[in-house]
Amino acid sequence: AGYCDREMAREGAFVVGQIVLAKPALGLFAGEKNGRLFRRVMDESMKEGIPVPQALRRAMTVMEDHVLDLNPAEREVFDAEMRQAKREAREKEERDAAVLAEVEAAKS
């Protein structure tokens, strides 16, 4: 939001359109819970004519605090941990399905 404030305050800022300023922010929370809602709130705010800094602040209210608090290094670790947890859950589901199939086959 600070970057947007500075850009809008610069002379000739009208050349840098609102959409150009907002575009990098639209993907900030891709893949996160409420990430699509964040993008939708940003989009709707822009359509209402709300300046980018305020639209960004408004959209950030839909994100969970722990997501907003992560710095880039922590985000990489968090993302890696989430991928690992999903992989382990998928492998467990596959093992459970295999066991269930064996039980069903044994009944036949």
Side-chain angles (χ1 to χ4, degrees):
Y3 167 76
C4 295
D5 288 330
R6 288 189 302 278
E7 286 299 312
M8 294 304 289
R10 279 185 18 187
E11 186 177 339
F14 294 106
V15 175
V16 179
Q18 294 271 0
I19 301 300
V20 172
L21 289 173
K23 190 165 183 156
L26 293 177
L28 278 176
F29 301 108
E32 297 288 348
K33 181 179 178 185
N34 293 336
R36 289 182 181 176
L37 179 58
F38 170 85
R39 189 177 174 109
R40 186 170 59 235
V41 171
M42 278 290 292
D43 185 55
E44 290 170 1
S45 298
M46 300 293 294
K47 287 178 182 175
E48 292 173 18
I50 296 173
V52 175
Q54 286 82 6
L56 185 56
R57 288 182 187 99
R58 182 185 201 190
M60 287 173 62
T61 63
V62 304
M63 299 307 298
E64 295 180 359
D65 288 340
H66 78 277
V67 173
L68 295 173
D69 291 339
L70 291 175
N71 69 39
E74 291 172 325
R75 186 181 226 42
E76 286 181 31
V77 170
F78 180 77
D79 289 345
E81 290 172 351
M82 291 303 293
R83 283 192 303 273
Q84 179 66 25
K86 287 179 182 178
R87 188 177 315 117
E88 289 172 359
R90 197 170 41 248
E91 290 170 355
K92 183 181 182 314
E93 286 178 12
E94 290 171 359
R95 284 192 306 273
D96 290 349
V99 169
L100 184 59
E102 288 177 17
V103 168
E104 292 297 321
K107 287 182 182 178
S108 303

